Amino acid sequence: MAGAVWAEDEIGRKWDRCFTDAILKLGGGIVLGGVFSLFFFKRRKWPIITGAGFGLGMAYSNCQEDLNASIHQQKPKSSKPEENK
């Protein structure tokens, strides 16, 4: 039972890291897009939206890799029966 509790705690910590990473990358994308919009694109909205999209996309990709790694690590290895030839 202790292994199951540890796995749930680990998944919870990874979700927390995912949300924090998403907020930071979203904010960074908005700031970077705002800077580009202010200096290079005559204060248009699309660089800000694009920066936010890139930030969220990067956070999603990182989170997906992190969660998939822990899920694959926790699955019990099933032995495949040998096939008759």
Side-chain angles (χ1 to χ4, degrees):
M1 184 59 87
V5 173
W6 179 83
E8 291 172 0
D9 289 342
E10 183 66 24
I11 295 293
R13 281 192 292 270
K14 287 190 180 202
W15 271 110
D16 290 343
R17 280 194 303 247
C18 285
F19 288 129
T20 303
D21 190 38
I23 290 169
L24 290 174
K25 285 193 172 39
L26 175 67
I30 289 172
V31 168
L32 194 59
V35 168
F36 272 85
S37 174
L38 187 64
F39 290 120
F40 299 114
F41 296 109
K42 299 179 184 176
R43 296 185 181 175
R44 308 250 184 215
K45 290 182 189 177
W46 67 265
I48 298 169
I49 294 169
T50 303
F54 279 129
L56 281 177
M58 288 173 34
Y60 177 81
S61 177
N62 290 344
C63 187
Q64 183 179 18
E65 288 178 17
D66 196 22
L67 289 174
N68 283 340
S70 66
I71 289 171
H72 291 304
Q73 186 179 29
Q74 292 174 3
K75 281 188 179 177
K77 307 248 182 197
S78 61
S79 59
K80 292 183 180 179
E82 294 183 23
E83 296 179 14
N84 295 330
K85 293 185 179 181

